[in-house]
Amino acid sequence: QGHVVESGGGSVQAGGSLRLSCSASGYTSGINCMGWFRQAPGKEREGVAAGDGTPGRTYYTDSVKGRFTISRDNAKNALYLQMNSLEPEDTAMYYCAVRVSYCYPGDPSAGRFVYWGQGTQVTVSS
């Protein structure tokens, strides 16, 4: 039974930075794809970034490329999202999710992920 916990959300002004953290446990160790998703009020959940720790298997949605960076600490089963140059459009609840497989093109795709956290709120004011 996977257990995923996010932290690090908050409120910042446009142009600012935040770093989200995700801690995961309780599932088969080894290769796993970990991803960040976000959902703004009235909008569908959107994949932001994903990676499995393998070189070349890191994926970002176009709107965050060059601003957000995903990183992992495999020893801790931890995932991070460094968010720079934040925009009001980045305001959303951010979720971390995990599945036991490699990431592959098309990730992060919500339907592929099994274990989900409760989310952490990010609010960017103009």
Side-chain angles (χ1 to χ4, degrees):
Q1 188 95 8
H3 183 59
V4 180
V5 179
E6 306 94 338
S7 62
S11 297
V12 295
Q13 290 191 325
S17 298
L18 282 173
R19 185 175 187 246
L20 305 184
S21 299
C22 170
S23 177
S25 63
Y27 52 87
T28 305
S29 62
I31 293 293
N32 54 78
C33 182
M34 300 181 76
W36 288 101
F37 297 80
R38 65 186 180 186
Q39 188 167 19
K43 295 188 177 182
E44 293 187 355
R45 189 167 295 189
E46 173 192 28
V48 176
D52 60 23
T54 304
R57 291 181 187 266
T58 302
Y59 305 98
Y60 296 91
T61 193
D62 287 345
S63 63
V64 307
K65 287 180 181 177
R67 301 189 298 124
F68 291 10
T69 303
I70 193 171
S71 60
R72 293 182 53 140
D73 184 336
N74 289 334
K76 297 180 179 179
N77 265 353
L79 181 73
Y80 307 99
L81 185 68
Q82 178 66 43
M83 305 185 294
N84 299 327
S85 302
L86 282 161
E87 303 169 352
E89 293 74 21
D90 296 315
T91 295
M93 184 72 79
Y94 282 70
Y95 299 89
C96 178
V98 184
R99 72 166 187 268
V100 183
S101 77
Y102 287 101
C103 291
Y104 45 89
D107 276 319
S109 176
R112 298 173 180 172
F113 285 77
V114 176
Y115 306 109
W116 290 84
Q118 294 299 307
T120 185
Q121 178 67 37
V122 172
T123 302
V124 185
S125 58
S126 58

